[in-house]
């Protein structure tokens, strides 16, 4: 069923390519894998044209297909996905850089971030959040987004990637604390005009 | 661990609060967490940060999965 503002289905689908690529890159952290996953997504979509009432519905449908293609890619690349680098920075436990005293208690109280719901759904915040996620070391970022974007359980991630639970938890621990630090520096503690 | 099976430092508690995002904690850790949180001034602030991040990721997921408009 054609719509007033609708170009050919192919063009509509193709117009979302950049959007899909942004998330594929964020999750896969490898341009070639991301390009492949997005191409597979567009091909799959074009092979079964559906009618959508709006651009955003089409987009949501495409994102759903993309997630499946991305899980295929992650499974396919298996160990490459979850093997971290061995730089000191990546191996460091961010807890060691927080304000703990020698006895393990907080030297200063963690900041109150406040939780204004509106701020946390703002476009500006989303950009900071994505920038922080994209700055995580690649393996940490992939595992973190498998939890938070693909919404896989820890057990599913270990199974898909052949990763031990201990290894997964160490990497997620580092990823979450790094993200915390990045958000604190770039959002919660930074003066901003809102 | 010392003679206090449920005693944890803030550092240990912070690690548990982060771990809780990805796995179920064993009963002993859950109890230790409760005991510590009831007595500590600082860790509840850290817990609020973790919960704010959880909330933020939920918003982001929604924003990424169900784009309301053309971006």
């Amino acid at each position: 069923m054609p719509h007033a503002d609708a170009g050919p289905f192919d063009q509509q689908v193709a117009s979302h390519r950049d959007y899909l690529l942004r998330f594929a890159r964020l999750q896969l952290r490898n341009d070639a894998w991301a390009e492949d996953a997005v191409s597979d997504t567009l091909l799959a979509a074009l092979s079964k044209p559906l009618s959508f009432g709006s651009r955003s519905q089409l987009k949501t449908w495409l994102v759903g297909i993309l997630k499946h293609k991305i899980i295929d890619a992650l499974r396919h690349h298996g160990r490459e996905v979850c093997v971290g680098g061995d730089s000191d920075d990546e191996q460091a436990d961010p807890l060691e850089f927080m304000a703990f005293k020698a006895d393990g208690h907080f030297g200063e109280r963690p900041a109150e971030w406040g939780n204004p719901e509106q701020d946390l759904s703002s476009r500006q915040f989303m950009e900071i959040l994505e920038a922080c996620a994209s700055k995580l070391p690649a393996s940490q970022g992939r595992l973190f987004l498998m939890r938070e974007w693909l919404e896989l359980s820890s057990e599913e991630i270990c199974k898909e990637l052949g990763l031990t639970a201990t290894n997964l938890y160490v990497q997620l621990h580092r990823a979450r604390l790094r993200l915390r630090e990045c958000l604190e520096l770039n959002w919660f503690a930074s003066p901003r005009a809102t | 661990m010392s003679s206090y099976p449920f005693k944890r430092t803030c550092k240990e508690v912070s690690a548990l609060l982060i771990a809780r995002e990805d796995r179920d904690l064993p009963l002993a850790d859950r109890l230790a967490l409760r005991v510590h949180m009831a007595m500590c001034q600082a860790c509840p602030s850290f817990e609020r940060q973790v919960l704010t991040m959880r909330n933020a990721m939920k918003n982001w997921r929604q924003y990424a999965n169900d784009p309301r408009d053309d971006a």
Side-chain angles (χ1 to χ4, degrees):
Chain A
M1 188 74 70
H3 296 277
D5 61 342
F9 184 71
D10 290 22
Q11 277 174 30
Q12 288 180 49
V13 167
S15 71
H16 292 297
R17 188 174 181 283
D18 286 351
Y19 182 83
L20 298 174
L21 201 49
R22 182 169 122 223
F23 290 99
R25 285 200 173 117
L26 192 62
Q27 171 66 72
L28 291 170
R29 302 290 297 267
N30 175 306
D31 283 352
W33 301 356
E35 298 269 355
D36 284 350
V38 169
S39 298
D40 288 351
T41 300
L42 299 180
L43 281 174
L46 294 177
S47 71
K48 46 176 178 183
L50 292 174
S51 172
F52 293 94
S54 69
R55 263 180 74 79
S56 66
Q57 282 172 356
L58 171 61
K59 210 176 198 176
T60 300
W61 180 64
L62 291 171
V63 169
I65 302 177
L66 177 67
K67 286 187 171 187
H68 284 103
K69 300 297 177 190
I70 281 181
I71 291 175
D72 288 345
L74 290 165
R75 193 183 289 136
H76 177 75
H77 292 285
R79 283 200 57 73
E80 265 184 281
V81 166
C82 54
V83 174
D86 48 15
S87 72
D88 290 348
D89 179 48
E90 188 172 337
Q91 292 292 322
D93 180 353
L95 268 189
E96 297 302 329
F97 305 108
M98 285 173 55
F100 294 109
K101 293 183 290 190
D103 66 3
H105 289 278
F106 272 112
E108 61 183 81
R109 194 168 157 167
E112 287 299 335
W113 281 358
N115 189 6
E117 186 55 36
Q118 266 184 318
D119 269 15
L120 295 186
S121 1
S122 71
R123 181 77 171 242
Q124 271 174 303
F125 178 71
M126 296 301 163
E127 280 168 15
I128 298 283
L129 187 60
E130 274 178 43
C132 285
S134 71
K135 277 200 291 188
L136 294 171
S139 68
Q140 290 176 27
R142 291 181 191 120
L143 295 170
F144 175 71
L145 285 166
M146 286 176 86
R147 289 279 297 130
E148 296 289 348
W149 186 52
L150 299 176
E151 298 181 80
L152 298 174
S153 69
S154 296
E155 293 74 21
E156 286 169 324
I157 295 174
C158 289
K159 190 163 152 264
E160 296 292 358
L161 301 179
L163 187 62
T164 65
T166 308
N167 194 332
L168 175 69
Y169 295 142
V170 166
Q171 298 210 53
L172 288 173
H173 165 93
R174 292 178 189 154
R176 289 186 185 280
L177 285 167
R178 273 174 182 267
L179 191 79
R180 190 209 71 82
E181 190 188 8
C182 185
L183 291 176
E184 179 153 271
L185 283 173
N186 294 289
W187 183 263
F188 293 105
S190 84
R192 57 187 186 274
T194 39
Chain B
M1 231 132 284
S2 63
S3 52
Y4 301 97
F6 297 127
K7 195 165 163 65
R8 299 284 187 283
T9 64
C10 294
K11 197 173 173 181
E12 289 165 338
V13 163
S14 298
L16 290 175
L17 289 169
I18 291 289
R20 197 172 64 179
E21 299 301 294
D22 298 299
R23 62 184 167 96
D24 293 328
L25 300 180
L27 182 63
D29 283 336
R30 293 206 305 274
L31 290 173
L33 204 55
R34 273 177 71 175
V35 170
H36 186 101
M37 296 300 269
M39 301 184 317
C40 182
Q41 300 286 312
C43 286
S45 301
F46 186 77
E47 183 182 36
R48 282 191 284 278
Q49 292 187 352
V50 176
L51 296 177
T52 298
M53 283 177 58
R54 190 191 291 176
N55 198 9
M57 291 315 297
K58 200 175 101 199
N59 289 345
W60 177 77
R61 213 157 34 235
Q62 170 129 25
Y63 157 89
N65 294 352
D66 297 300
R68 236 168 266 131
D69 207 352
D70 298 329

